Amino acid sequence: MKKLMFLAVLVAIMCSCNSNKFKVSGTVDGAGDTTTLFLETSINGNWLFVDSVVTNGGKFSFSEDAPENPNIYRLGYRDKSIYFPIDSVDNIEIKTSIKKFDEEYTLSGSDNAVKMMNIDKKSAVFAKNGDTSSDDYVKWKDQLSRDLVKDPSGILAFYLINKYIGDKPLFDPLDKKDFKIIGAVTNAFANFRPNDPRTGYMVDNFKQGLSQRRSETGDTIVATQASLIDIKLQDKKGKMQSLQEVSSHGNVVILNFTMQSQSFSPSLNRLLNEVYTKNKAKGLEIFQVCLDDNEAQWMQAVATLPWIVMRDPNGEYSTNAGAYNITSLPTVFIIGRNGEIVERVANIEQLEASVAKYL
């Protein structure tokens, strides 16, 4: 009886271990018994070999350990590849042919795999025709953008903001609208997937894009009438606050990046309180973003502050701070009644005079 119990437990453990796998299988028409296919995975812009198989009558199968985080994989034959996402223990089926390996193929097994297939096939048509400025392309990209922002921390969002159509990025950091999309995805990963190995890679790319924009277009956050990059964080009461929402009501908004744990914090808060008390009735709001690591100490420090105050859990690695090119603390911006940044305050001691210009 004890032996049977032991065997039952052993079998259960073995089944549990073996079940933590994903599978990629299918058929390749025209493939012989010596056709080699290979499986690769994406690691922050690089492709790493996972395994290879030789087809048997055109059939093939891979079984690999499920990734800790959703990731992009590709099935390759010579210089051609079919791309698909793996979430966890997906069972992906691919049907294709030797002659049209990466063109006339079908994917099944997950909704994201089907979506990626449709995206890649459509983008291949645009790349082949070279019509990335056509009305059809613009409409297609607009729809992708709308779908993307519904799930900005998803694997498809990551894939899209890193995808190229021919030699042109699908989402170009030099395009203001595209850059907002890139920022939204980067921020979502930083907030909801801080331990994902892609997050640091995306933050670095975002900062590089910011520098590129500044050098090639002169579009800097210091400029008058600069467009807002939204910030969404929970305030001290747990309510989600959006900078764009707060700035859309016709008020003048002070945007402050700071750390409550620093020695300058008490004097800064006194100054902010003076300006806020005098001008709140005139339509002044304060949106304070804190980069403190210790949440308990931060909560104690902001308990009595009367304005909107939030803590970015990513601290010094905050993509919000990166988006605004924060190189020192405290940093203060003024957002005008039209919802656009009108000034980066050089001398915080002159904050009241700076605010008065826009009230």
Side-chain angles (χ1 to χ4, degrees):
M1 184 68 176
K2 289 182 180 179
K3 288 184 178 180
L4 289 175
M5 182 64 72
F6 172 77
L7 286 172
V9 172
L10 180 61
V11 170
I13 292 174
M14 291 177 65
C15 291
S16 176
C17 293
N18 290 336
S19 66
N20 195 28
K21 300 271 189 179
F22 72 87
K23 185 178 180 181
V24 181
S25 59
T27 57
V28 182
D29 290 341
D33 293 340
T34 59
T35 301
T36 300
L37 306 178
F38 55 87
L39 183 68
E40 294 180 314
T41 186
S42 173
I43 303 294
N44 293 341
N46 298 308
W47 289 96
L48 299 182
F49 176 83
V50 176
D51 198 2
S52 65
V53 297
V54 176
T55 57
N56 181 3
K59 297 184 181 297
F60 69 92
S61 181
F62 292 90
S63 181
E64 303 293 336
D65 291 337
E68 293 184 8
N69 297 284
N71 206 0
I72 307 297
Y73 288 77
R74 67 182 184 185
L75 177 71
Y77 168 66
R78 294 184 177 176
D79 61 342
K80 300 178 180 180
S81 298
I82 296 171
Y83 297 82
F84 52 90
I86 293 293
D87 189 352
S88 180
V89 290
D90 293 333
N91 190 348
I92 302 297
E93 185 174 0
I94 302 174
K95 294 181 179 180
T96 185
S97 67
I98 285 294
K99 292 183 178 180
K100 300 286 186 178
F101 187 81
D102 59 349
E103 298 176 22
E104 298 177 2
Y105 66 92
T106 60
L107 281 172
S108 60
S110 80
D111 290 341
N112 278 340
V114 174
K115 289 177 182 178
M116 187 173 290
M117 174 187 68
N118 292 332
I119 290 168
D120 283 348
K121 286 186 175 182
K122 190 75 172 179
S123 62
V125 173
F126 288 121
K128 183 178 181 180
N129 296 336
D131 58 353
T132 55
S133 59
S134 67
D135 289 342
D136 286 343
Y137 177 81
V138 172
K139 291 178 182 178
W140 174 70
K141 184 175 172 180
D142 284 344
Q143 183 60 56
L144 284 183
S145 300
R146 287 193 292 271
D147 293 340
L148 184 152
V149 296
K150 294 176 183 177
D151 185 20
S153 63
I155 190 63
L156 278 179
F158 171 81
Y159 183 69
L160 286 171
I161 68 167
N162 289 284
K163 185 173 179 57
Y164 276 71
I165 307 295
D167 60 354
K168 178 182 177 182
L170 176 57
F171 288 94
D172 188 347
L174 294 181
D175 180 276
K176 183 177 291 187
K177 184 177 179 180
D178 286 359
F179 193 59
K180 287 186 177 182
I181 294 291
I182 295 170
V185 175
T186 303
N187 194 53
F189 267 74
N191 285 324
F192 300 110
R193 295 184 180 273
N195 299 320
D196 191 310
R198 281 174 291 270
T199 299
Y201 170 76
M202 294 171 69
V203 170
D204 289 342
N205 282 351
F206 181 82
K207 290 179 179 178
Q208 290 175 14
L210 195 64
S211 298
Q212 187 180 9
R213 285 182 60 81
R214 188 171 297 112
S215 62
E216 296 189 21
T217 71
D219 182 17
T220 135
I221 205 68
V222 182
T224 300
Q225 300 292 307
S227 295
L228 276 185
I229 298 174
D230 196 17
I231 297 174
K232 290 183 178 181
L233 292 168
Q234 287 186 341
D235 63 20
K236 62 183 180 181
K237 296 181 180 179
K239 179 182 177 181
M240 186 62 70
Q241 298 284 357
S242 162
L243 178 59
Q244 285 189 344
E245 170 64 22
V246 171
S247 303
S248 68
H249 302 301
N251 293 326
V252 173
V253 179
I254 294 174
L255 170 60
N256 170 224
F257 289 88
T258 187
M259 288 181 70
Q260 300 295 340
S261 60
Q262 297 300 303
S263 59
F264 61 74
S265 182
S267 59
L268 171 67
N269 285 337
R270 281 195 294 271
L271 174 61
L272 289 173
N273 193 53
E274 290 176 7
V275 176
Y276 184 67
T277 302
K278 290 180 181 178
N279 298 288
K280 181 181 179 181
K282 300 177 184 178
L284 178 68
E285 187 57 87
I286 296 177
F287 194 93
Q288 190 175 54
V289 180
C290 303
L291 306 182
D292 296 80
D293 291 326
N294 190 309
E295 183 176 10
Q297 292 179 1
W298 171 79
M299 284 292 290
Q300 185 176 3
V302 303
T304 60
L305 298 183
W307 51 78
I308 299 171
V309 56
M310 298 138 295
R311 186 182 75 92
D312 191 323
N314 295 298
E316 62 179 311
Y317 299 105
S318 164
T319 54
N320 293 310
Y324 282 85
N325 194 29
I326 304 303
T327 57
S328 63
L329 298 175
T331 296
V332 172
F333 300 93
I334 299 176
I335 300 169
R337 293 189 186 278
N338 61 352
E340 302 287 344
I341 293 176
V342 292
E343 185 176 337
R344 181 169 185 159
V345 181
N347 185 354
I348 294 181
E349 295 297 327
Q350 302 298 318
L351 179 60
E352 185 171 0
S354 296
V355 168
K357 293 185 295 184
Y358 308 105
L359 288 171

